[in-house]
Each structure stands twice: as C-alpha cells, then as structure tokens.
Amino acid sequence: MIFDKKLLALAAALFAGPAMAETDMPFALDWKFEGPSAPYFHALDAGYFADAGLAVTISEGAGSLDAIPKVATGAFPVGFADINSLMRFLDQNPGAPVTAVMMVYDKPPFAIVGRRSLGVETPADLEGKILGAPPPDGAWAQFPIFAAETGIDADAITVEPVGFPTREPMLAEGNVAAITGFSFSSTLNLKRLGIPADDISVLLMADYGVDLYGNAIIVNTDFAEANPELITSFLGAVAMGWKDAIATPDAAIEALLERNPAADAALETERLQMAIDANVLTDYVMTNGMGGIDNTRMMNAIEQTKSVYEFNNAPDPSIYFDGSYLPAAEMLMLK
C-alpha cells in the first residue's frame, strides 16, 4: 500500500500535538525597570526562559514589599522581594503560600545615603539631622537594626516620611540630610539630579554589623509544589541571565533599554555594575554559587530581626527559604 507522505506528516503532527507548550510565568519585580533588572530581560531576549518552556512576562514593582502579596495571593507565581520583609509578612500571615527559593542579593543594598555637604559621612552624623524614609522602603524597615548595631540614638534623628518619587529630589534640594534606600538606586538617582559623586556618602548597612540577606526570588508555594520542574527551570534561566550580565553588562542593558527607552544607558550600566560588585558577586557566591544561603548567617539575621521586631510565632528558617528548587550547582556558578 502506498501512503501519501504529506498525509502521514499531518497525522503525525496532529497526534504529537505542540512540540513544547509554553507555561505562562508572570514575574513581579520589586522596582522599576532599572539596571539591576537587566539580567531578567536579557534572559528573556536570549531565549533562556523560552528554552525552558516558559512564557515569562516581567512587571515592575513599587518597593521591596510590593511583590510579596502579589505572589502570596497567586496573582503572580514568582516575584522578587526582600526576604526580611517576607519573614515579617509570614509572621503576620501564617500559612500564606509564599517563600523564597533563590537568594540574589547575598549582600543587601540597604543603605543610608547622605550628602557630605550636609554633614553626613558616618552613622553618628545622623543624630540631629532629618532623615527621609519612605514607609514601605526595605532599607527603612532595617534601620532600627542599623541604629542598634552602630549605637546611634535613633530618638535624636528626625524622620520625615517621604514618597519614593520625592526621596532623592528632597536630598538633592537639601530638605533632608540623608535618606534610606538601596545603595545603587539612590546613589545613581542623585547623580542624575546633578549631585557630584564626591558629595554623596553611602553607609551600606551590611558594612556596619547588619547581618541580613537581601532580595530573593520568591514563589507561590502552591504553584511551586504543583510545578517543581518549572520553578527549577525558571531559576536556571535567571542564573544564566545574571552570568551573562556579569560577563557582558552592555548586552544586558540593551535588553533593559528595549523596555525602558528613556533610561540613560551609561547610568543604568553603572547601576547594574554597582549591584553586581556590592550585592550579587560576593565572596560567598564566588565560592558556592548563586542562590543558596548559609544557615548560621540566616539564624544570625533572625536574631537581629528579633531585636527590633516581636514575632507573633516562633521564627522558622525553613518557612522563609526553600533551596530545594535550585538547579544543579554548576548552573549557579556565575564565573
């Protein structure tokens, strides 16, 4: 019997179905489309997510707390958020289906950013000054730990609640002497506003005894438990995006500019490099790879948090971080 080859091919295609159906994976960032988000856009454009069978869309956020409820409610299966804020969220919402699965900012960018011309160069200089702090800011949430570790008198500091859009302009105009924020965001925003680099002082909290972790990839645990291979594939693509951004930051910034054409390429490249050097590519990550945590340090971070926050429930590190979804160790080495 002679068969029509075209009919055979059509039948095979009908029975086989799609070669690889992509799963929608909306990803909630913590902040705007700036330099540190470039690795995710690069991973998208390089096809790393698509190769893993994922149709990823990336949405900007409005602060370190923003992605947590989005992921906890299931509106987003994955997000990017401050793990310390996640700890407090889970304490206040026990059983919420959200946890961290991949540490990105091994050294958190929480900082006090001041101006030398306004008398701020050391933690003690904050006393008697006005500090601008957005209430939802992740750095502001950790300020009591910074104050305790440095021994400054927090009562001697006037705290001015400010909005994210007005934070750096208020410092540039001299209405406040310092602000809380992420080091790379506030520093570069001030430079864009015309403040000379030698007038900007950056007090990175991690350099003053604050032993916390920073932002991590978080997941909706219901989604993750039902789709563990998808989460692992997503994390692998994230790692490849960061590895490429470290090797060729200009290429990653090109992907960012496709989504934010108004961004200054040189400024965002500098912002990305600041995040890589100070927050992502730490000694721990160089040795162990990206994504994991040190259990002893995590316990220290919880103890520091307990010094300024009263837990309603006994803190449990296994609720806040689950490393079981991380891909193979060799995929997590960034250099």
Side-chain angles (χ1 to χ4, degrees), residues 266-282:
L267 197 72
E268 296 310 329
T269 301
E270 186 178 357
R271 199 191 308 268
L272 171 61
Q273 197 63 54
M274 287 179 67
I276 290 169
D277 294 342
N279 310 116
V280 177
L281 203 59
T282 63

Side-chain angles (χ1 to χ4, degrees), residues 36 80 103-109 182 184 213-215 242 275 279-280:
F80 187 58
M103 188 57 58
V104 177
Y105 294 157
D106 182 65
K107 184 177 183 180
F182 277 16
F184 48 74
Y213 280 101
N215 279 37
W242 274 102
N279 310 116
V280 177

Side-chain angles (χ1 to χ4, degrees), residues 111-123 125-126 129-132 167-168 170-172 174 176-183 186-187 190-191 195-204:
I112 307 298
V113 180
R115 290 180 58 188
R116 292 184 173 88
S117 61
L118 297 176
V120 176
E121 291 192 61
T122 70
D125 294 335
L126 294 170
K129 305 290 197 311
I130 300 176
L131 175 68
R167 173 175 52 186
E168 287 84 15
M170 288 186 71
L171 180 55
V176 297
I179 55 176
T180 64
F182 277 16
S183 54
S186 292
T187 300
L190 286 169
K191 288 182 69 174
I195 303 301
D198 59 5
D199 189 26
I200 302 172
S201 59
V202 180
L203 308 177
L204 201 61

Side-chain angles (χ1 to χ4, degrees), residues 32-212:
K32 302 171 184 177
F33 295 168
E34 294 183 341
S37 62
Y40 310 114
F41 293 117
H42 172 74
L44 192 62
D45 289 354
Y48 297 150
F49 291 123
D51 289 346
L54 303 173
V56 173
T57 53
I58 303 174
S59 300
E60 70 176 23
S64 298
L65 312 176
D66 189 57
I68 299 172
K70 290 178 179 177
V71 173
T73 59
F76 288 79
V78 287
F80 187 58
D82 169 36
I83 195 171
N84 308 287
S85 301
L86 176 66
M87 285 165 44
R88 300 183 191 198
F89 178 86
L90 286 170
D91 183 57
Q92 296 159 17
N93 300 273
V98 58
T99 194
V101 292
M102 182 187 212
M103 188 57 58
V104 177
Y105 294 157
D106 182 65
K107 184 177 183 180
F110 308 135
I112 307 298
V113 180
R115 290 180 58 188
R116 292 184 173 88
S117 61
L118 297 176
V120 176
E121 291 192 61
T122 70
D125 294 335
L126 294 170
E127 296 180 3
K129 305 290 197 311
I130 300 176
L131 175 68
D137 179 40
W140 168 242
Q142 316 314 327
F143 181 77
I145 300 175
F146 172 78
E149 290 295 321
T150 56
I152 61 177
D153 182 2
D155 293 334
I157 301 169
T158 301
V159 179
E160 178 76 22
V162 299
F164 286 117
T166 60
R167 173 175 52 186
E168 287 84 15
M170 288 186 71
L171 180 55
E173 293 165 6
N175 296 322
V176 297
I179 55 176
T180 64
F182 277 16
S183 54
F184 48 74
S185 291
S186 292
T187 300
L188 273 298
N189 290 347
L190 286 169
K191 288 182 69 174
R192 185 171 54 194
L193 291 169
I195 303 301
D198 59 5
D199 189 26
I200 302 172
S201 59
V202 180
L203 308 177
L204 201 61
M205 293 185 185
D207 293 337
Y208 291 90
V210 178
D211 201 22
L212 305 179

